[in-house]
């Protein structure tokens, strides 16, 4: 209607695209073995939209009229499917609840402003009406930032930024682009690429997330070692607050007091609506390769990543999977292509020569970008470190495959749900000195949770996003809930998810490295930034939004709402 | 008395150390030519302490008793010299006012807590008594952050962190150190160096500034291209707020909402007292060189710096002076040593070969650190870029000299004051695309201000601190005020200083790249971060400190105080 593409109302990504295991012959046996789920069983597809009872919109006529005046008749939408799409993000709990038609509160209206002036009109209208505003980008959030509070009595307005999707300007002399917040990753890169530029930001959600969403949740992409987190990339921005617009001009660095830029970064809609940003952009690199390596153990792989981080090497991607994730990766290879042949052969040789335990092997991807000389030099530096830690190179073949497939992973959650499996992710960051403990503690915590709920579960992990002082650990867990009842599934899910997050807190790691706080992680906020730090956060949010009109319920634990 | 070393009460640095022009035969003629000041004239030395009438302390007996209970008898000081040292920073206006005995308001007491518990006791005591707290590190601030508001009627307590000066812990596995906020640069580096580590942070103020002061003002050091600004270096911290302690554990990155770390960074005492921080530390590099280059013009030097920033080269220092600063630098060389001989010879050859206009030549320093291969490669990459822009290398001799002398510059302000000259600095940052305009606009603005006040003035500049999208420009200006009356001197000074700062605003640059806001730059806050951004800042500061007990008057313009 207004050209804004949405994800499936019931799951990740575009209609008609799904994860498929049939061309991956080792996956079904692997899943059966590890979590006892039969991928060949008939399964339960998601329900039809007609099976879902979407609560009626509570939008009053007066507010509707003002909103129509603000954004135009065609851009104030109260249809069920549109409101449904704007009710949830794409975390496991979101997927289970939407499939079950569990809809305690649905936005009463979705508005699609065309520009910042219209955003201002909407924000001011919502605050004047004491309604609630939830900004919406690509809808890929997986920490509960998008879901209206179940008990919210006020009118809920979802503000979809999808029409604000243009690269407005490239400052070629400075390597900066001014980009509207509602643009999806591929659309932005297409527009930048046409001018010879790239932002280099590639989160797993890339295809279905927006610049504004990245900023609002402190996103990070797989190439963050080179391009930085979104907090580094975002040099200036505009954000609509009630009655005003914050304008932060692009600056490479500044000492103008507490950073308002860093207050709006990560604000998840609680301070207002980000409408555009000035971001660092780079010339598309001359050369770009991703090389796969194999390490004899997790400890060896981790030690190598740490040594790379403190070396003179400057890779664009650093990533190593633990043994479980390596086994999973190998099981998803297609019949005769890609990593499989090479890995088998290489592993065979390694086994012969060094007596590796293949079950402990850990797959790693390291990315290289830049001039020929830089790429060569970095490969040599990394190669030496890999060798020192007993690793071997598998060449560029598996890396290229990983690079092509890297945005497909989020589809697996829906695929598993179809066949009765629950799967989700939790990620964190900590200093290098803590990462081995974070890993083992979290694996233990998940295992204890699996035992508690009586399931055969699986947890795997990779390190990615290296920094001088630490890195991100990204966990994926899966289990068969043994029930088709949504509430019962979710009870078990939260037992595992919460055990994983609690383990982060117990091991000096953070709530989240790049998924944000939302509602799912809010209960640990004070464990992460201290009770006094939470007080500071409350002072800020309450000072800007005393009426709790802006995405209330996210970031802060319920006890700290005013 | 308590082992805390202070700077001179009347000027920069240690008693007995001063700038001396006698071993720099070209300086006196240069200064006479450019600003008409005769360095050989008798001049006016700073006054004796006994000539200064320090207002009596207003500290009441009750508060004094509680403070003594908090930090111990010997650490509650009401002596004149100590209170005088804590009245001003070291900006030009501070120096003029303290020499003139212009002391509208002096801290009533200086307290020296030994640890965080004592800081807590002091903070809570001050707030309970509705007094005012001004945290004090090395006292090197030059934007007016340390001076009590003239009209402040409440008791003023200066909290000196000088006893909290230890490196508490080094996490060798993570490259992190836990350091007390009151440590001076050299003391910290001595403690780190003894264990083989360095923080790599080298602001001009290094010898007389503290970790806590760097964090509170968003400091940046000359090696920031490699080590980052203090905002990057600071990974965790502890800060005492009224009734509580914010504890932010060290994290390489996090997405836990608006960044409380980035709220305390730059807070200049308005949110509380930073007591310690976790900072990135690095192994002392194997190799370290600074090479000097000479460019035929400012435009050529700037273009080279920009190209280096977007190249594959990773230098630790990038710096280029404009023609005026180059002339000044050449005039400060000693008789037959250092840059002079080489430069003369090289320039002579260049003149012959290329017909350079020596008056336009621009001196540059580029720093290299790391393994032999990295240093060699970076030198080759930079060398090519320098050549492309018509520059020539002067080798390591001048660079080594610059490296030795880099912390001496702040002494010049006092030296010039003695002989009747007013000099100060203003620095900013902007995107690469704006820097030429910032430079020319600021030079023009200063010249117009010199004309307005009827003096022969001089302004010079260097670029330093390169980032992907821009860099810092650092201006130094000087003129003979033509009067010995402090108020008249300051009126002229503010005319020039304000013109320079206004030019930053007019050219899309920021208030300050690394000196902070203080009181001197506060009037431009809304021009920098917008009126709405200032509203956000007020919400934060007011929410945390409703009673305005914490360094009131800094950062915000007076009209925005509550």
């Amino acid at each position: 209607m207004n050209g804004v593409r949405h994800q499936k109302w019931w799951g990740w990504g575009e209609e008609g695209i799904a994860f498929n295991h049939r061309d991956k012959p080792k996956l079904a046996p692997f899943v059966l073995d590890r979590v006892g789920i039969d991928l060949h069983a008939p399964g339960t597809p998601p329900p039809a939209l007609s099976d879902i009872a979407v609560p009626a919109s509570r939008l009053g006529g007066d507010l509707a009229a003002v909103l129509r005046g603000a954004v135009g008749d065609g851009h104030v939408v109260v249809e069920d499917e549109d409101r449904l799409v704007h009710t949830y993000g794409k975390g496991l709990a979101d997927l289970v609840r939407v499939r079950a038609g569990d809809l305690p509160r649905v936005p009463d209206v979705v508005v699609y402003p065309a520009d910042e002036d219209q955003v201002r009109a909407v924000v001011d209208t919502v605050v004047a009406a004491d309604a609630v505003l939830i900004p919406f980008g690509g809808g890929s959030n997986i920490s509960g930032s998008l879901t209206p509070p179940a008990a919210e009595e006020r009118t809920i307005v979802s503000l979809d930024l999808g029409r604000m999707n243009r690269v407005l300007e490239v400052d070629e002399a400075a390597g900066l682009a001014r980009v509207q917040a509602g643009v999806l990753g591929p659309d932005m890169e297409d527009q930048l690429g046409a001018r010879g530029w790239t932002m280099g930001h590639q989160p797993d959600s890339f295809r279905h997330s927006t610049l504004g969403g990245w900023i609002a949740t402190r996103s990070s992409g797989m190439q963050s070692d080179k391009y930085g987190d979104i907090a580094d990339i975002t040099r200036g921005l505009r954000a609509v607050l009630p009655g005003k617009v914050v304008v932060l001009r692009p600056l490479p660095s500044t000492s103008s007091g507490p950073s308002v830029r860093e207050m709006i970064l990560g604000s998840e809609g609680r301070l207002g609506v980000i409408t555009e940003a000035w971001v660092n952009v780079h010339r598309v690199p001359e050369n770009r390769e991703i090389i796969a390596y194999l390490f004899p153990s997790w400890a060896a792989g981790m030690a190598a990543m740490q040594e790379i981080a403190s070396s003179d090497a400057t890779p664009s991607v650093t990533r190593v999977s633990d043994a479980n994730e390596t086994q999973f990766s190998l099981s998803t290879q297609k019949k005769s292509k890609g990593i499989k042949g090479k890995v088998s052969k290489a592993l065979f040789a390694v086994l012969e020569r060094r007596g590796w335990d293949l079950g402990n092997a850990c797959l790693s991807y390291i990315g290289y970008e830049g001039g020929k000389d830089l790429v060569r030099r970095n490969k040599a530096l990394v190669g030496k470190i890999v060798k020192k830690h007993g690793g071997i190179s598998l060449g560029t073949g598996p890396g290229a495959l990983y690079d092509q497939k890297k945005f497909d992973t989020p589809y697996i959650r829906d695929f598993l749900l179809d066949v009765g499996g629950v799967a989700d992710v939790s990620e964190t960051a900590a200093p290098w000195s803590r990462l081995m403990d974070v890993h083992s503690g979290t694996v233990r915590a998940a295992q204890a949770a699996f035992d508690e709920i009586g399931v055969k579960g699986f947890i795997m992990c990779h390190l990615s996003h290296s920094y001088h002082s630490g890195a991100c650990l990204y966990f994926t867990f899966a289990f068969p809930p043994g029930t088709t009842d949504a509430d019962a599934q979710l009870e078990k899910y939260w037992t595992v998810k919460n055990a994983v997050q609690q383990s982060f807190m117990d091991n000096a790691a953070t709530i989240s490295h790049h998924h944000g706080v939302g509602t799912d992680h809010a209960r640990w906020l004070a464990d992460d930034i201290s009770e006094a730090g939470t007080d500071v956060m409350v002072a800020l949010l309450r000072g800007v939004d005393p009426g709790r009109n802006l995405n209330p319920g996210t970031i802060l634990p319920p006890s700290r709402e005013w």
Side-chain angles (χ1 to χ4, degrees), chain A residues 413-543:
Chain A
R413 240 185 315 237
D414 301 294
F415 166 75
L416 273 179
L417 269 183
D418 290 350
V419 295
V422 156
D424 209 2
V425 297
S426 273
E427 41 71 61
T428 188
W432 290 108
S433 50
R434 300 295 198 136
L435 290 178
M436 290 300 284
D437 287 345
V438 175
H439 182 262
S440 59
T442 302
V443 169
R444 262 200 314 274
Q447 198 49 62
F450 295 144
D451 292 347
E452 183 187 334
I453 60 174
V455 301
K456 182 170 182 172
F458 181 71
I459 184 164
M460 63 189 192
C461 175
H462 63 259
L463 171 149
S464 51
H465 313 280
S466 290
Y467 304 84
H468 167 76
S469 66
C472 165
L473 288 186
Y474 196 110
F475 294 86
T476 303
F477 57 86
F479 63 90
T483 167
T484 55
D485 178 73
D487 287 342
Q489 286 185 344
L490 288 180
E491 197 186 323
K492 292 187 174 183
Y493 165 75
W494 287 117
T495 300
V496 178
K497 165 83 180 173
N498 290 346
V500 165
Q501 293 289 143
Q502 183 61 49
S503 160
F504 295 164
M505 292 301 111
D506 296 343
N507 288 287
T510 182
I511 285 179
S512 167
H513 170 263
H514 59 272
H515 287 164
V517 185
T519 49
D520 295 358
H521 304 149
R523 58 189 276 196
W524 290 279
L525 187 69
D527 292 318
D528 197 345
I529 67 168
S530 76
E531 203 62 63
T534 307
D535 291 346
V536 173
M537 194 91 91
V538 170
L540 171 70
L541 300 184
R542 183 174 186 159

Side-chain angles (χ1 to χ4, degrees), chain A residues 180-497:
Chain A
Q180 289 185 304
V183 71
L184 292 165
D187 293 348
M188 184 190 70
E189 283 293 329
D190 284 351
Q191 294 175 64
L192 288 173
R195 311 191 200 195
W197 295 87
T198 179
M199 196 167 111
H201 184 70
Q202 300 189 334
D204 288 355
S205 65
F206 177 75
R207 289 197 187 122
H208 304 287
S209 54
T210 61
L211 173 61
W214 299 334
I215 295 172
T217 58
R218 295 185 171 271
S219 170
S220 183
M222 61 172 267
Q223 301 184 145
S224 68
D225 290 23
K226 172 176 176 181
Y227 294 95
D229 299 329
I230 201 71
D232 307 305
I233 293 168
T234 305
R235 302 316 319 159
L237 57 78
R238 295 177 67 100
V240 173
L241 275 59
K244 56 195 157 203
V245 183
V246 172
V247 182
L248 301 175
R249 299 161 306 150
L251 292 168
S253 184
T254 172
S255 63
S256 51
S259 174
V260 174
R261 187 179 59 83
E262 288 271 8
M263 296 181 213
I264 293 171
L265 276 156
S267 57
E268 302 187 15
R270 291 213 70 157
L271 291 176
V273 182
I274 298 156
T275 54
E276 62 177 58
W278 279 103
V279 292
N280 282 349
V281 292
H282 301 253
R283 285 292 179 192
V284 176
E286 280 173 72
N287 303 281
R288 184 167 182 280
E289 306 182 3
I290 296 180
I291 295 186
Y293 303 89
L294 202 64
F295 289 95
S297 69
W298 175 240
M302 290 285 282
M305 294 307 116
Q306 178 170 9
E307 192 164 334
I308 291 168
S310 65
S311 77
D312 284 343
T314 53
S316 53
V317 178
T318 46
R319 180 184 168 115
V320 61
S321 294
D322 69 3
N324 272 358
E325 193 170 280
T326 300
Q327 295 296 314
F328 171 76
S329 286
L330 296 177
S331 80
T332 62
Q333 300 309 310
K334 293 191 185 176
K335 217 163 188 172
S336 52
K337 280 199 280 184
I339 205 171
K340 189 183 154 282
K342 296 193 187 216
V343 167
S344 307
K345 209 173 122 195
L347 290 181
F348 187 80
V350 165
L351 269 176
E352 284 205 319
R353 284 206 313 277
R354 306 187 202 170
W356 280 26
D357 176 354
L358 257 189
N360 285 338
C362 289
L363 188 59
S364 166
Y365 294 109
I366 309 282
Y368 304 93
E369 282 191 12
K372 231 165 70 176
D373 181 58
L374 179 66
V375 168
R376 190 189 320 119
R377 199 182 128 272
N378 276 330
K379 276 157 63 172
L381 283 169
V382 168
K384 248 187 233 176
I385 294 169
V386 169
K387 197 172 167 191
K388 175 177 160 191
H389 293 280
I392 57 167
S393 168
L394 304 177
T396 53
L401 196 69
Y402 163 73
D403 206 23
Q404 285 162 31
K405 298 289 172 190
K406 60 184 183 285
F407 301 135
D408 295 344
T409 325
Y411 283 102
I412 300 183
R413 240 185 315 237
D414 301 294
F415 166 75
L416 273 179
L417 269 183
D418 290 350
V419 295
V422 156
D424 209 2
V425 297
S426 273
E427 41 71 61
T428 188
W432 290 108
S433 50
R434 300 295 198 136
L435 290 178
M436 290 300 284
D437 287 345
V438 175
H439 182 262
S440 59
T442 302
V443 169
R444 262 200 314 274
Q447 198 49 62
F450 295 144
D451 292 347
E452 183 187 334
I453 60 174
V455 301
K456 182 170 182 172
F458 181 71
I459 184 164
M460 63 189 192
C461 175
H462 63 259
L463 171 149
S464 51
H465 313 280
S466 290
Y467 304 84
H468 167 76
S469 66
C472 165
L473 288 186
Y474 196 110
F475 294 86
T476 303
F477 57 86
F479 63 90
T483 167
T484 55
D485 178 73
D487 287 342
Q489 286 185 344
L490 288 180
E491 197 186 323
K492 292 187 174 183
Y493 165 75
W494 287 117
T495 300
V496 178
K497 165 83 180 173

